[in-house]
Amino acid sequence: MARAGSKRKSKRGRTPTATTFHAAVAATPSIRYAHEHGLRALTKADRERIIDGQRATGSIALDDALVATHPNANRWDYGIGLPPGPERREVVLWLEVHHAASGEAEVVLKKLAWLKQWLREHAPRLDALPRRFVWQLSNVERHPNDRLRRNRLAEQHGLRRVEGKLRLADHG
């Protein structure tokens, strides 16, 4: 895991430029060293769920980084830095990879509420960045009525559900 301020060289021998996302992570004591280049913080299986992963400016495995300090919390999975969007600032895509079985929408909404509170209380620089909240389904949802109800419920909380591969370009 790279330490904030480390001088990791790219393949061409240049030191990667620090991003706004990286600086915000480094300014958050509980996750100061959690930033990874590109999508390296995601598990291999979760990286494979993303089509255009080269767009990521960095990532953090928030769940892993906070397990010791928030062991009983409904922790969110990942934060992913994306190139500047319409706001002309780097965007953070907060990604939760979770299945869509009965009752799981409520679990994901609890995780979202926890994430928003954690950002306000512990990560003000991350909280200030433009953001998108995404629930990527880790399974195929088979019942159209359930899918519509869960989509509406998620949208009411500012959460977008994605089934299948995630395209980062759609969220930047």
Side-chain angles (χ1 to χ4, degrees), residues 28-111:
T28 306
S30 58
I31 60 168
R32 176 172 290 134
Y33 303 117
H35 183 272
E36 294 286 342
H37 181 71
L39 294 177
R40 289 182 190 166
L42 281 68
T43 65
K44 183 176 188 284
D46 290 340
R47 279 193 310 268
E48 290 173 354
R49 297 174 192 277
I50 297 175
I51 292 174
D52 52 351
Q54 74 281 3
R55 289 185 52 81
T57 61
S59 58
I60 57 173
L62 190 63
D63 186 15
D64 292 345
L66 296 176
V67 71
T69 56
H70 296 81
N72 300 318
N74 283 313
R75 296 176 307 278
W76 198 257
D77 286 340
Y78 304 111
I80 301 171
L82 297 176
E87 300 94 344
R88 296 181 184 232
R89 294 169 55 203
E90 195 170 6
V91 174
V92 180
L93 185 144
W94 293 103
L95 177 64
E96 176 68 23
V97 180
H98 200 92
H99 61 283
S102 179
E104 293 305 310
E106 289 77 14
V107 171
V108 173
L109 291 176
K110 284 180 185 175
K111 287 177 171 236

Side-chain angles (χ1 to χ4, degrees), residues 124-142:
R125 288 195 47 194
L126 282 169
D127 194 34
L129 293 174
R131 62 195 182 191
R132 312 290 185 267
F133 300 106
V134 175
W135 170 9
Q136 185 175 22
L137 305 181
S138 59
N139 64 329
V140 176
E141 203 165 23
R142 303 208 187 279

